[in-house]
C-alpha cells in the first residue's frame, strides 16, 4: 500500500452554544450516546429513466434515512442532508462498491452528526444516464441531465422537511430555517449545484450545448425548472411553494459546473478535496467519469477555485468573523492560501510505487480517502452478477481498479480523515446556522475555563469543564501587553502554573484551546 504523507488531526473540535455541567455542547460535541434511524422514508415521487413502463420513464419513490439522537425532545433541530457518491448509476453498475445511503462515510457522518443533536438525512437522488453509448456527446448530455435532476431532488428534500414542519405537526422536530447539505463524491456536485445554480440562464454556456445544433443539453420543457417545481416530461413537482434554501453547503470531492455560478451574497461553503483527485478538478479542470474515462464537463470549478471566489465575494466571511483558532484550522490555513472554508488533503507523489497488480506507477490518485468498503463482499457481489460480462473484468480486477483510485481502503484510516472533516466542518455548520457567534463563543469558553485562586500569591490553577477541549497554550501578559510568560502544551485536565518571579499587579491570562481563545484577568499579590 502506498504510503500517504498527510497531517491528520484526531481530536474533535468543540465550539459552544450552551454550557452545561459536563462542558459538552449540543450541536458541536457528542451530547448523545445513541442514535435512532428511520429507514426508507419517502420524501417525493418523481420520474426516473432507470425504471421504464412500456419503454417510457416511470415514476419511483425517492427515499431517505433519517438519523435522530435517541431520547431527544428538542423540536427546533438543524437538518443536514447527505448526498452519497455513485456516478448517477446504481452500485456495481457504476463499476464500484459505492452509491447507496448505506455507504460507509455516509453512515459515519450521519451517526456522528446525530450524536451531536442534528437531524442527519442520507438520501437518494435520481440516477440514470446513457453511460454505454459510444457517442461522447450523448454521454455528456445524459450525465448533465442526471446532475440537473440531482439538484432538483436536493431542493425537493429541503422542501419536504419544511412541509412536514407546517403540515405534519413538525413530526421530525426541526427548525425549517436551518437546513444544510453535504455531498460526498458525486454528491459533491449536488451540494455545490444546489448552493449556486440559482437561474436557468446560468446554464447557457457553450460547454453545456450540443456542438452540432447549439441547443442546450438541458432544457426546461423536458427536464423542468432548476428547483423541480414545474411539471415537465421528466419532472413531477413536489412540495411546491416551500423554500429551497440551504444555510451552508459542504462537499467532499466533486466540483461546480462553472465558476460563473458563484455570485456575491451566496451561502457559505465548506470544501474538502484531495490535490490528486483523478475525476474532479482541484482547481479548474475537466470532470472525468470513472465508468467511461471520458471528459464530460470541461473547465469545471474545483474546491480550491470555489473557495477562492467565495472569499473574493465575502461569502465565507461568517467563518472569518468567528475567529476559529483550533489546530485543524491552523493546518487548513497553512495549505489553502487563506481561502477560509477550504481544507485540502495533500498527497505526495511516491517513487517506486506499485499498483495492486504489482505494476509500477508514477503517481497515486486519491479521490475519496474518507471512504472504505469490504473488498471480499464487493468481489463476491460483482462475480455473482452480470458485471464480469458488462465490464469485461472479474471481481478481483474491478477491486484493483477501485484501489487504484484510492489505494488506502482501511476503516481506521478513513475514520481519521472523517475526524478531520468533522473537526473542521462542524463548528462552521454551527456558525452558518446561527447556533454560535464570535461573541457568545468567547463568553462560553471563558465559562468553561476556571482559574483560581484569584488574587493569587504563588500557584495558579486552571481547570476545564470540557474534557474534549484541550488547552494548547497559556500566556500571561502585563498591563503594557507584553508577554511575560508562555507555555505550550496539550492538556485536557488541570493545569498548574508557578508564579515564578512575576511582580505583583494586574495581568491578562490568555488560554488557547481547541475551541478558541479565552482571556481572563489575574491579580498577583
Amino acid at each position: 500500500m502506498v504510503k500517504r504523507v498527510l497531517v491528520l488531526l484526531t481530536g474533535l473540535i468543540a465550539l459552544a452554544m450552551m454550557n452545561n455541567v459536563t462542558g459538552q455542547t449540543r450541536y458541536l460535541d457528542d451530547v448523545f450516546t445513541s442514535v435512532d434511524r428511520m429507514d426508507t422514508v419517502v420524501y417525493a415521487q418523481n420520474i426516473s429513466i432507470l425504471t421504464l413502463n412500456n419503454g417510457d420513464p416511470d415514476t419511483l419513490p425517492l427515499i431517505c434515512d433519517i438519523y435522530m439522537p435517541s431520547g431527544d425532545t428538542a423540536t427546533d433541530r438543524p437538518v443536514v442532508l447527505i448526498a452519497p457518491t455513485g456516478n448517477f448509476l446504481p452500485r456495481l453498475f457504476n463499476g464500484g462498491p459505492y452509491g447507496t445511503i448505506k455507504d460507509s462515510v455516509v453512515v459515519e457522518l450521519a451517526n456522528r452528526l446525530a450524536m451531536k443533536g442534528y437531524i442527519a438525512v442520507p438520501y437518494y437522488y435520481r440516477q440514470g444516464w446513457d453511460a454505454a453509448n459510444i457517442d461522447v456527446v450523448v454521454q455528456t448530455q445524459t450525465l448533465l441531465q442526471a446532475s440537473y435532476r440531482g439538484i432538483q431532488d436536493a431542493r425537493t428534500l429541503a422542501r419536504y422537511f419544511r412541509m412536514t414542519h407546517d403540515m405534519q405537526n413538525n413530526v421530525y422536530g426541526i427548525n425549517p430555517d436551518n437546513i444544510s447539505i453535504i455531498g460526498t463524491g458525486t454528491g459533491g456536485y449536488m451540494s455545490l449545484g444546489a448552493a449556486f445554480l440559482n437561474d436557468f440562464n446560468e446554464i447557457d454556456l457553450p460547454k453545456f450545448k450540443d456542438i452540432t445544433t447549439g441547443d442546450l443539453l438541458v432544457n426546461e420543457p423536458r427536464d423542468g425548472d432548476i428547483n423541480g417545481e414545474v411539471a415537465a416530461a421528466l419532472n413531477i413537482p413536489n412540495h411546491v411553494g416551500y423554500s429551497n434554501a440551504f444555510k451552508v453547503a459542504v462537499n467532499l470531492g466533486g466540483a461546480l459546473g462553472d465558476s460563473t455560478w458563484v455570485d456575491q451574497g451566496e451561502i457559505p461553503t465548506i470544501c474538502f478535496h484531495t490535490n490528486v483527485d483523478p475525476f474532479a478538478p482541484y482547481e479548474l479542470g475537466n470532470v472525468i467519469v470513472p465508468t467511461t474515462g471520458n471528459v464530460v464537463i470541461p473547465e469545471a470549478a474545483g474546491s480550491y477555485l470555489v473557495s477562492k471566489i467565495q472569499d473574493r465575494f465575502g461569502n465565507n466571511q461568517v467563518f472569518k468573523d468567528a475567529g476559529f483558532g483550533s489546530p485543524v484550522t491552523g493546518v487548513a490555513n497553512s495549505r489553502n492560501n487563506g481561502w477560509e472554508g477550504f481544507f485540502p488533503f495533500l498527497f505526495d507523489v511516491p517513487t517506486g510505487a506499485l499498483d495492486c497488480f504489482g505494476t509500477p506507477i508514477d503517481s497515486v490518485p486519491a479521490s475519496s480517502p474518507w471512504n472504505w468498503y469490504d473488498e471480499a463482499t464487493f468481489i463476491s457481489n460483482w462475480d455473482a452478477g452480470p458485471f464480469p460480462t458488462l465490464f469485461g473484468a472479474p471481481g478481483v480486477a474491478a477491486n484493483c481498479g477501485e484501489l487504484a483510485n484510492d489505494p488506502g481502503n482501511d476503516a481506521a484510516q478513513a475514520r481519521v480523515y472523517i475526524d478531520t472533516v468533522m473537526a473542521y466542518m462542524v463548528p462552521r455548520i454551527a456558525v452558518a446556522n446561527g447556533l454560535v457567534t464570535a461573541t457568545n463563543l468567547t463568553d462560553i469558553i471563558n465559562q468553561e475555563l476556571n482559574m483560581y485562586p484569584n488574587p493569587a500569591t504563588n500557584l495558579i490553577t486552571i481547570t476545564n469543564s470540557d474534557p474534549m477541549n484541550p488547552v494548547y497554550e497559556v500566556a500571561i501578559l502585563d498591563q503594557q501587553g507584553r508577554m511575560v510568560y508562555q507555555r505550550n502544551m496539550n492538556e485536557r485536565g488541570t493545569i498548574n502554573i508557578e508564579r515564578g518571579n512575576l511582580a505583583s499587579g494586574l495581568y491578562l491570562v490568555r488560554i488557547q484551546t481547541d475551541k478558541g481563545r479565552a482571556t481572563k484577568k489575574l491579580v498577583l499579590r
Side-chain angles (χ1 to χ4, degrees), residues 338-357:
W339 316 137
E340 167 59 59
F342 178 36
F343 193 105
F345 288 100
L346 304 182
F347 291 75
D348 66 341
V349 180
T351 57
L354 305 177
D355 68 13
C356 53
F357 284 136

Side-chain angles (χ1 to χ4, degrees), residues 91-309:
R91 186 178 65 88
L92 300 177
F93 284 94
N94 59 21
Y98 305 117
T100 79
I101 56 178
K102 307 297 187 187
D103 285 352
S104 54
V105 66
V106 172
V107 173
E108 187 79 12
L109 289 171
N111 275 309
R112 293 198 191 195
L113 287 166
M115 290 176 70
K116 298 178 189 303
Y118 292 86
I119 302 297
V121 188
Y123 72 97
Y124 283 110
Y125 46 87
R126 284 172 288 172
Q127 299 175 326
W129 60 287
D130 198 352
N133 199 304
I134 61 173
D135 188 336
V136 176
V137 174
V138 175
Q139 288 183 9
T140 300
Q141 179 180 24
T142 56
L143 186 61
L144 287 173
Q145 292 165 6
S147 179
Y148 188 80
R149 289 190 291 269
I151 295 171
Q152 291 174 325
D153 294 345
R155 291 170 172 166
T156 295
L157 183 53
R159 296 197 302 271
Y160 167 78
F161 276 100
R162 293 186 170 104
M163 180 276 295
T164 64
H165 178 272
D166 288 354
M167 304 298 293
Q168 297 182 7
N169 198 30
N170 195 18
V171 62
Y172 302 119
I174 71 160
N175 183 336
D177 295 326
N178 287 357
I179 300 180
S180 302
I181 183 169
I182 301 172
T184 70
T186 306
Y189 295 94
M190 305 304 94
S191 62
L192 291 176
F196 297 122
L197 183 59
N198 301 316
D199 189 319
F200 187 84
N201 290 328
E202 291 180 319
I203 304 174
D204 192 1
L205 298 169
K207 65 182 177 182
F208 298 131
K209 293 181 179 180
D210 188 305
I211 58 175
T212 302
T213 66
D215 295 333
L216 284 173
L217 300 178
V218 177
N219 67 72
E220 291 184 291
R222 180 191 60 227
D223 303 310
D225 67 305
I226 59 174
N227 297 323
E229 294 182 291
V230 177
L234 293 179
N235 183 68
I236 298 173
N238 290 267
H239 321 305
V240 175
Y242 291 96
S243 170
N244 301 291
F246 295 101
K247 277 296 183 69
V248 63
V250 183
N251 67 290
L252 281 68
L256 182 65
D258 196 80
S259 62
T260 60
W261 294 2
V262 185
D263 298 313
Q264 191 167 13
E266 303 276 18
I267 65 172
T269 51
I270 308 166
C271 302
F272 300 90
H273 215 119
T274 74
N275 62 325
V276 289
D277 189 330
F279 306 121
Y282 179 74
E283 297 186 42
L284 178 69
N286 298 328
V287 174
I288 308 293
V289 179
T291 49
T292 65
N294 292 328
V295 174
V296 290
I297 303 178
E299 295 187 338
S303 296
Y304 181 96
L305 182 56
V306 168
S307 301
K308 179 180 180 179
I309 299 172

Side-chain angles (χ1 to χ4, degrees), residues 285-420:
N286 298 328
V287 174
I288 308 293
V289 179
T291 49
T292 65
N294 292 328
V295 174
V296 290
I297 303 178
E299 295 187 338
S303 296
Y304 181 96
L305 182 56
V306 168
S307 301
K308 179 180 180 179
I309 299 172
Q310 285 282 83
D311 183 84
R312 185 178 71 200
F313 285 137
N315 295 339
N316 281 356
Q317 188 63 37
V318 65
F319 301 149
K320 291 187 174 182
D321 291 343
F324 297 119
S326 71
V328 73
T329 294
V331 173
N333 291 346
S334 71
R335 303 173 177 179
N336 63 17
N337 279 8
W339 316 137
E340 167 59 59
F342 178 36
F343 193 105
F345 288 100
L346 304 182
F347 291 75
D348 66 341
V349 180
T351 57
L354 305 177
D355 68 13
C356 53
F357 284 136
T359 304
I361 52 177
D362 57 7
S363 66
V364 177
S367 60
S368 52
W370 41 78
N371 271 333
W372 77 93
Y373 65 99
D374 183 271
E375 294 179 33
T377 299
F378 172 54
I379 293 171
S380 175
N381 290 340
W382 182 279
D383 288 338
F387 309 104
T389 300
L390 285 175
F391 289 90
V396 291
N399 187 60
C400 180
E402 184 63 35
L403 294 178
N405 297 330
D406 276 305
N409 179 42
D410 175 81
Q413 176 178 281
R415 284 191 173 101
V416 174
Y417 283 91
I418 296 172
D419 287 343
T420 304

